[in-house]
Amino acid sequence: MASLAAQNYEELSLLVVANGEAEHVPARVAAVAPNAYVRLLEENRGFGAACNEAALMVEGSAFFLFCHDDVRLEPDALQLMVEAAFRANAGIVTPKVVSYDDPLVLLHVGQTCDRFGVVHERVQLGEIDHGQQDLERDVFVAPGGVTLVRSDLFATLRGFDPLILMLGEDLDLCWRAQIAGARIVVAPPAKVAHREMTASGSRPVTAVGTRRASLQDLQRRHQLLVVATGWGRRHTIMTLSMLLVMDTMELFLALLGRDHDRTGAILGSWRWLFNNRKRIRERRRQRHEIQVLSDAQLLRLQVGGASRLKRFFLILLREGLDRARGILPPAPAHPEPAEDESDGVGFAAAFAEEEEFDEIPESPLLELRRRPARVLTSFRSQATAVVVVLVMWLIGSRNLVVTHLPLVGRLAPLDSWWSTWRHFFATWSPNGVGTGTPGMPGYGVLGVAGTFVFGRMGVLPRVALIFAAPLGALGVSRLLRAKVSNRARVIASFAYLAFPLGLNMISQGRVDVLVVVAGLPFIVRRLFELMDVPGFRLRRYSEPVAFGHRGWRTSEAGQRMVVMMLIAVLTSVAPATLVVVALVIVGIALARLFEPDEGIGFARSGRFLGSLLFNVAILLLPLSVDVLLAGRRAPGVFGLARGPWSTATFLDILRGADGGFGATWPGWLLPLAALLALCLCKGERRRIALKLATIATLTVVLASLDARNWMGSFAPDLDVLLVLYAVMIALLIGLGISALENDLRQAGFGWRQIAAGLTVAALVVATAP
């Protein structure tokens, strides 16, 4: 009120509407603006209804200036807005809106929206006002707070819709004004500070009809109302259909994450729209009366695409599903400096204490060497590379989709869905001459998987052949998330996808090994976290939560349970998975003997491995009982010894090639790149790389002994061991790319630069074919 009373616009008359909160309002207004009028309303029916009530009390005014009660206007703001309205012949004018607490931070300089009613800001979050937005221009939405509206336009539009109580009345009014052909302009010289108390949640929603509605409920229902009445018949049907599909996808994710607020808001908005269908028909009739612009012209004034869906997928690809669903809070844009660090603001901060910081490069070659490479650094380039690789993979897999699968390897026809479940629950198996042992856990896994394909069991081998390796590449990317850059994650995923083992397993029909190819990276990620590997201890476990309750997976016990279930599922298909898990834990413990860190020691690693194997054995009953009863034949459960004509040589094991792929000289490129990456890593990356190299070395040693049958009846499946080798190679390559990005530019020219060039060349030649 004080800022309004101080305006230099002489023809200003003030009308204060006490929207259901009439306590001492006349006296408080009189103390600041004695000439203002006060209108007391019995109940709060929303901001739009209060503005309509005020408009009925005023006659002869050319403009209405609708203000919230949490704004502060500069003394010349109204004068500048009126001038802009006459100069641009605008029906609605909006000022530059800044933060109430920090006037240098921009909040709004006009807004736009997409066809689904999702508002899109024209400024970045936290953008500093340097005058870069001080250009008068047309906008689609004038954000609420302070809005200048021509009185004749307000009468033509019949004011605000009283059905919109708050959060969305500005979008609705501007949308209808655009349909009527009115211009909406932003006047940046007019400056207004806004607290945004309702939108930020500082003030509770108290309007009549919003007793149980949250801000998300109101926003969604009002956007839906605008879309349902803002288009012609054809565009309305098309837009609402697309919006229904997107809301259904979002509802599924909300149910999956037990996000009850989002679930209620989505369902409640459509229910609210159906309950107000009479008002929708009336609004559509009014739209037809005032329509000047066609739907095509209106669409050209908006931003293309679906802003909400685009934002979801961007966050999903960059930061994961939990952040995209809104479960995790967004990371701070500017991390707070440590207490002992200088703020680094001002003229003196332009100079560093080291002399070399301020030295001018001696030659263009030196500047070129220090300049970071821009290949695969943007999100667009990374997404393009991923799409190209997936398209190539699907083209190469086309015969696996449309032709009959040959009866090779493990591609024998599966029993029906019902027979699979019968084998699992029955105490008699008719295979061979029949046996009275209980069904194996693998039948249960097949039965569950068959349920997802509606009992078409023949689809399962095709799904494994086509999608196992890409899913494993996704697991490698998840494993390296928040440890290396997105570029390094993408390259490591491509390396895992191009490793010859996966291609050989497809050609040999080894569906059991392909399941391990898909799932092992997800197991390794959780093992690294539980073993406190440096760089992987990023998760702060919550307090213990009962199994099955919300949040149980975020606790340490919950993560142990998840990894045990994953190991049990893979072991039921490929029992040698247990050997691989033991190699990971033993390799980490051995690496800590050479280079200690703050993780768990050798003794605790042994106890962790023992508890893990014991619990997995409990989950895999009765398979565990049969193994114990087998006596000396028990190690055969992990695999059988191969004949000398089919075993892999030591060189084949080093290349990860157990088949026709990777048997030539390009098969050496990925292991060579991993070896060079080990040489390039420094600091914490070197400690992680040492553990990866130790695990890979143990795997090669055990695989070599296995190939030569030097371990007697203990002959774990060689291909399952090579899966772990492939994961370690891909992780080493990812760390090597991170070393190229961070460590290499800080070192002088030497062998590291030569190794870096060889690493890049090896990766390109190995993955491109």
Side-chain angles (χ1 to χ4, degrees):
M1 286 301 303
S3 66
L4 285 172
Q7 292 296 305
N8 58 10
Y9 188 74
E10 298 179 356
E11 301 297 326
L12 175 63
S13 298
L14 298 181
L15 172 61
V16 180
V17 179
N19 208 1
E21 300 175 0
E23 183 180 359
H24 307 303
V25 170
R28 292 161 58 192
V29 172
V32 179
N35 297 325
Y37 299 90
V38 178
R39 175 76 164 90
L40 305 179
L41 300 182
E42 296 181 356
E43 57 183 3
N44 182 6
R45 294 193 173 275
F47 178 76
C51 293
N52 295 340
E53 184 71 21
L56 295 176
M57 300 176 58
V58 178
E59 293 182 358
S61 175
F63 293 96
F64 293 137
L65 183 71
F66 298 109
C67 301
H68 292 181
D69 62 348
D70 56 349
V71 297
R72 181 184 64 237
L73 292 79
E74 294 294 324
D76 59 348
L78 180 55
Q79 177 74 31
L80 295 172
M81 293 173 69
V82 174
E83 291 177 359
F86 282 111
R87 183 170 51 250
N89 191 25
I92 299 178
V93 180
T94 181
K96 177 198 295 182
V97 184
V98 298
S99 172
Y100 200 95
D101 299 322
D102 188 356
L104 292 179
V105 178
L106 291 173
L107 293 182
H108 314 290
V109 189
Q111 295 173 326
T112 183
C113 73
D114 60 15
R115 65 184 301 172
F116 303 102
V118 178
V119 175
H120 184 75
E121 291 290 348
R122 297 182 59 250
V123 297
Q124 299 294 327
L125 180 64
E127 182 175 339
I128 304 299
D129 183 14
H130 296 294
Q132 72 275 20
Q133 300 287 351
D134 288 357
L135 178 64
E136 188 176 296
R137 66 184 69 187
D138 289 80
V139 294
F140 194 89
V141 179
V146 176
T147 308
L148 184 73
V149 185
R150 223 169 56 198
S151 58
D152 57 343
L153 175 63
F154 194 75
T156 301
L157 299 178
R158 302 185 184 182
F160 291 100
D161 192 335
L163 194 61
I164 300 179
L165 303 174
M166 57 184 62
L167 290 180
E169 72 280 346
D170 47 1
L171 171 66
D172 175 61
L173 181 72
C174 293
W175 192 300
R176 289 185 287 131
Q178 296 280 8
I179 293 174
R183 291 188 67 186
I184 303 175
V185 300
V186 57
K191 196 171 181 180
V192 170
H194 195 183
R195 284 189 186 275
E196 296 189 322
M197 296 180 65
T198 302
S200 63
S202 302
R203 172 186 294 168
V205 180
T206 58
V208 175
T210 62
R211 184 170 61 89
R212 296 183 179 179
S214 64
L215 297 180
Q216 187 177 184
D217 295 331
L218 296 175
Q219 186 179 33
R220 283 184 176 274
R221 64 174 62 169
H222 298 159
Q223 288 177 355
L224 197 56
L225 175 66
V226 171
V227 172
T229 58
W231 298 105
R233 186 183 302 274
R234 183 172 63 88
H235 277 79
T236 298
I237 296 175
M238 185 184 307
T239 305
L240 285 180
S241 300
M242 290 189 291
L243 188 59
L244 179 61
V245 172
M246 290 189 293
D247 279 359
T248 302
M249 295 168 53
E250 191 173 357
L251 177 64
F252 173 76
L253 291 174
L255 292 173
L256 190 65
R258 299 183 180 180
D259 190 347
H260 303 297
D261 295 337
R262 191 183 299 266
T263 301
I266 296 173
L267 296 177
S269 62
W270 288 93
R271 183 172 59 249
W272 180 85
L273 185 71
F274 178 78
N275 294 336
N276 290 279
R277 55 190 181 277
K278 182 177 179 180
R279 176 58 183 160
I280 292 174
R281 289 193 294 267
E282 183 180 349
R283 280 174 55 99
R284 294 190 62 84
R285 185 169 59 252
Q286 294 173 1
R287 175 192 176 278
H288 181 71
E289 294 173 357
I290 66 173
Q291 182 176 4
V292 174
L293 295 185
S294 64
D295 287 347
Q297 293 171 325
L298 190 66
L299 195 60
R300 284 197 292 269
L301 299 177
Q302 300 173 340
V303 295
S307 301
R308 186 185 300 161
L309 188 64
K310 186 187 301 182
R311 184 167 59 249
F312 171 81
F313 278 109
L314 285 176
I315 300 176
L316 175 66
L317 291 175
R318 291 177 178 176
E319 305 183 49
L321 181 60
D322 288 342
R323 182 68 56 77
R325 294 205 317 256
I327 293 178
L328 299 180
H334 303 286
E336 296 183 359
E339 295 181 357
D340 57 344
E341 293 180 356
S342 173
D343 291 339
V345 178
F347 181 77
F351 301 94
E353 296 179 357
E354 293 85 7
E355 295 179 356
E356 62 181 1
F357 182 85
D358 297 321
E359 289 180 353
I360 300 176
E362 297 177 355
S363 67
L365 292 177
L366 182 60
E367 176 65 22
L368 182 63
R369 180 178 64 83
R370 292 180 178 177
R371 186 182 307 159
R374 306 302 298 172
V375 180
L376 282 180
T377 55
S378 66
F379 170 75
R380 177 177 297 180
S381 61
Q382 294 167 5
T384 301
V386 171
V387 171
V388 169
V389 169
L390 289 180
V391 169
M392 293 173 62
W393 185 270
L394 293 177
I395 292 175
S397 306
R398 62 192 183 277
N399 288 334
L400 300 177
V401 179
V402 299
T403 61
H404 291 288
L405 297 179
L407 298 180
V408 297
R410 306 296 171 87
L411 296 182
L414 297 175
D415 289 335
S416 65
W417 179 77
W418 175 250
S419 298
T420 302
W421 281 116
R422 183 168 55 83
H423 291 327
F424 178 67
F425 287 107
T427 58
W428 176 263
S429 175
N431 294 335
V433 295
T435 177
T437 59
M440 293 293 104
Y443 285 118
V445 174
L446 288 176
V448 172
T451 304
F452 285 97
V453 295
F454 304 103
R456 300 181 63 86
M457 304 299 288
V459 176
L460 294 180
R462 297 181 187 270
V463 171
L465 292 173
I466 299 173
F467 295 108
L471 183 59
L474 176 63
V476 170
S477 177
R478 291 289 302 274
L479 204 159
L480 290 173
R481 186 176 64 179
K483 288 85 178 173
V484 297
S485 66
N486 283 340
R487 171 168 58 180
R489 292 171 59 194
V490 170
I491 295 176
S493 302
F494 289 170
Y496 187 72
L497 194 63
F499 204 77
L501 177 71
L503 302 175
N504 285 322
M505 294 303 99
I506 294 174
S507 68
Q508 297 173 19
R510 292 294 305 275
V511 177
D512 53 339
V513 180
L514 287 174
V515 173
V516 182
V517 170
L520 187 60
F522 298 93
I523 293 178
V524 171
R525 175 169 68 92
R526 288 176 169 84
L527 288 177
F528 280 5
E529 290 180 358
L530 293 172
M531 291 285 291
D532 288 339
V533 174
F536 291 83
R537 295 176 297 200
L538 301 178
R539 180 182 308 204
R540 292 185 177 180
Y541 296 118
S542 64
E543 296 297 326
V545 180
F547 178 77
H549 290 70
R550 183 182 178 89
W552 69 272
R553 290 187 303 170
T554 60
S555 64
E556 184 176 2
Q559 284 300 303
R560 287 175 179 264
M561 189 64 198
V562 169
V563 74
M564 285 189 292
M565 290 190 293
L566 287 175
I567 295 172
V569 170
L570 266 64
T571 304
S572 65
V573 179
T577 304
L578 284 179
V579 180
V580 168
V581 171
L583 285 175
V584 172
I585 298 176
V586 173
I588 295 174
L590 286 177
R592 283 178 172 151
L593 295 179
F594 298 101
E595 192 167 358
D597 53 44
E598 298 178 358
I600 62 178
F602 198 88
R604 287 186 58 193
S605 299
R607 290 194 295 269
F608 174 66
L609 175 60
S611 65
L612 202 64
L613 296 179
F614 176 77
N615 286 284
V616 170
I618 296 299
L619 291 175
L620 290 177
L621 290 173
L623 176 62
S624 305
V625 176
D626 283 351
V627 172
L628 293 176
L629 295 177
R632 291 180 299 176
R633 295 181 292 107
V637 71
F638 300 112
L640 300 176
R642 294 187 180 186
W645 58 88
S646 63
T647 189
T649 64
F650 178 72
L651 296 181
D652 291 334
I653 293 174
L654 283 180
R655 288 177 293 193
D658 185 20
F661 290 99
T664 56
W665 68 267
W668 289 105
L669 295 179
L670 287 178
L672 174 63
L675 180 61
L676 294 175
L678 178 63
C679 299
L680 293 173
C681 291
K682 297 170 61 178
E684 184 175 291
R685 274 183 291 273
R686 182 171 181 82
R687 289 196 293 272
I688 301 175
L690 179 61
K691 293 176 176 57
L692 300 179
T694 303
I695 297 173
T697 303
L698 288 178
T699 305
V700 170
V701 171
L702 185 62
S704 301
L705 296 176
D706 184 11
R708 285 163 174 74
N709 299 326
W710 286 358
M711 296 184 295
S713 59
F714 178 65
D717 195 326
L718 177 64
D719 295 318
V720 176
L721 297 178
L722 292 180
V723 175
L724 178 60
Y725 181 62
V727 174
M728 297 300 110
I729 292 293
L731 295 182
L732 281 171
I733 290 174
L735 289 178
I737 298 298
S738 180
L740 292 178
E741 296 170 339
N742 297 279
D743 300 335
L744 195 63
R745 294 197 303 272
Q746 302 174 5
F749 183 81
W751 66 269
R752 286 188 173 85
Q753 279 70 22
I754 300 175
L758 294 176
T759 301
V760 174
L763 287 174
V764 172
V765 177
T767 57

